[in-house]
Amino acid sequence: MSGLIYSLCALGLVMIGLYGLARAHHGLQQLLAINVMSAGVFMLLLTMAARHPPADAVPQALVLTGIVVAISALALGLALLRRLAAEEAESHD
Amino acid sequence: MLDAILTLLILALAWHCVRTTDLFEAIVVFIALGMLVALAWTRLQAPDAALAEAAIGAGLAGALLLASLRQMPEMSATRAPGAKTTGLGWFWWGLWGALGLALVSGVAAIQTTSVSLMPQVQAHLSDSGVTHPVTAVLLNFRALDTALELAVLLWAWMAQKQLFVPGRQTVYPLQGQVLKTAVKALLPLMVLVAVYLLWRGSSAPGGAFQSGAVLASAWLMLWLAQLPGLSRKQGGMRLGIQAGWLGGVTVFLLVGLLGVFQGAGFMGYPPDQAGAWILLIESAAALSIGLLLASMVLVSMPDFQEGTL
Amino acid sequence: MSWVMVGLDWLGAGVIALGVGFFVAGTLGLLRFDQSINRLHALTKADTLGLGLVVFGLVLQAPGLAVGLKLIIVWTLGLVSAALVSHLIGQSLCSQRQEEP
């Protein structure tokens, strides 16, 4: 039962993230939307892992790897946005 | 019941996070969302992932986002003047709905299958050198994935170093001794917790990622308190930091190559030595992850200057 | 299970419920007050007492001494970090106020 609820939650997160990505006006909003989507993907993997006890360790390890890759991507995206903002500020000066 | 409430809260927060036009609010909601997601994952019997999400996905990501926010143009500045549509056109709604339907049918199809790799993991657990299945998968069965993930982290940091612009803003200087004293008292405890998490990883939830996240926050606190921490102005420290950045991947690949000469194949370890090698890799990886994550947050600070790192 | 254990269990549950009440009050304050410094006041007061009561209730229900001690350590760390964070937020509010005029 809880498996079904959480797979719906995962689907909802992916769809909300996709919606946010489509209507984002600011780079930061796009990054947040992508991260909401990635949380949904991770949750789907973990729901799949938890179907039969004991929980499957392979998807859980994949999610752990994914979290670190996601934060790398977020940090890189933010660095790009900061650089962009600095260049724009310079061209206005 | 708890699961249903948690799901509703998560979805409501996610909706608010992408809908709001106040960027600060969106970030705060995103941090709260990360915490609730971590709570949901403990309900899904994934304490490792929940720990990592709470520390990295909510904590460090929140610090990164908030620090970057101050250096970015306002929301209105990026929107073209005169643009008034904030919703999606019917075409995009149609595409969105079709994708949603495809996802639902896809997930429903997976629900009926029952593939699990857990029997294989448990069958070989005694050869892996550790007793915690997730650590066995991360550092033995799928070690190449983890090595490549460390490489991705390193690469992302190198790219950020190239993009670096010195902070122009001045930050109000810290008053009083409260933070300094607290950091001095908490720092040994944080290092202890990091080492404990690393050691515990071989038999219970924990390991290099969680330990690295704690190390990263310890270093960040040291910097925030303006204590003489790790500064690249000193020559020896500079080399040490560079070695720390590269250490995780290097040690991992060297141990992996050693496996070739020992006949266990690339990234393979002989079962009787596996435990020791995994501990060595995990220590280097935790140090690397901690340094890399902390460096990423540090360069995002509004008042950060080049020479400090 | 002896009567003492059952009694402690119920007492613990009551204390935890009381603590949750403080959390709810603190959250209400966080949402309803308009100034950051008032919000901080509501949050720290309620959280300190709320967390203290929840931990105390859990200690009453704890299966052994080790678990109880761990909970008390958690509570101490929570107190220290809450005080530290409030202090930093307060400082940042002060600096903002000085910049404004």
Side-chain angles (χ1 to χ4, degrees), chain B residues 147 149-152 154 245-254 284-285 288 292:
Chain B
E149 174 235 308
L150 287 176
V152 167
L154 182 66
W245 285 336
L246 298 170
V249 182
T250 316
V251 169
F252 217 141
L253 290 180
L254 283 180
S288 250
L292 287 168

Side-chain angles (χ1 to χ4, degrees), chain B residues 34-61:
Chain B
M35 285 299 177
L36 284 182
V37 164
L39 203 58
W41 291 356
T42 56
R43 299 278 301 165
L44 286 167
Q45 297 134 47
D48 299 88
L51 269 174
E53 171 70 15
I56 299 176
L60 286 170

Side-chain angles (χ1 to χ4, degrees), chain B residues 64-78:
Chain B
L64 264 172
L65 286 161
L66 284 176
S68 300
L69 178 66
R70 282 189 59 175
Q71 300 158 63
M72 281 186 201
E74 296 288 314
M75 186 75 174
S76 54
T78 56

Side-chain angles (χ1 to χ4, degrees), chain C:
Chain C
M1 199 188 271
S2 70
W3 283 109
V4 182
M5 295 290 280
V6 175
L8 276 181
D9 247 20
W10 278 99
L11 191 67
V15 173
I16 291 173
L18 202 64
V20 170
F22 274 101
F23 269 111
V24 171
T27 313
L28 262 179
L30 176 73
L31 293 173
R32 298 289 300 173
F33 288 164
D34 51 348
Q35 290 216 333
S36 297
I37 215 122
N38 295 351
R39 293 176 167 196
L40 200 60
H41 175 83
L43 200 63
T44 44
K45 276 262 161 69
D47 272 10
T48 307
L49 206 53
L51 182 67
L53 285 173
V54 168
V55 168
F56 182 57
L58 285 173
V59 168
L60 289 181
Q61 293 183 343
L65 192 65
V67 178
L69 281 176
K70 268 184 209 169
L71 281 167
I72 289 172
I73 293 175
V74 167
W75 176 65
T76 321
L77 284 176
L79 269 189
V80 169
S81 60
L84 199 57
V85 167
S86 318
H87 170 73
L88 288 179
I89 294 177
Q91 259 198 19
S92 137
L93 287 174
C94 267
S95 70
Q96 272 174 20
R97 201 169 283 182
Q98 281 175 4
E99 274 169 21
E100 266 166 20

Side-chain angles (χ1 to χ4, degrees), chain B residues 194-275:
Chain B
V195 173
Y196 169 69
L197 275 172
L198 187 72
W199 179 254
R200 198 180 124 95
S202 61
S203 61
F209 298 107
Q210 293 86 352
S211 168
V214 174
L215 281 178
S217 45
W219 192 23
L220 282 173
M221 279 181 73
L222 205 63
W223 188 79
L224 282 177
Q226 293 159 356
L227 288 168
L230 303 169
S231 166
R232 273 184 78 180
K233 282 171 189 150
Q234 297 130 304
M237 202 53 107
R238 185 189 173 120
L239 272 179
I241 292 178
Q242 282 168 345
W245 285 336
L246 298 170
V249 182
T250 316
V251 169
F252 217 141
L253 290 180
L254 283 180
V255 174
L257 279 176
L258 203 67
V260 177
F261 296 116
Q262 287 182 321
F266 184 58
M267 289 279 165
Y269 336 109
D272 51 330
Q273 300 167 14

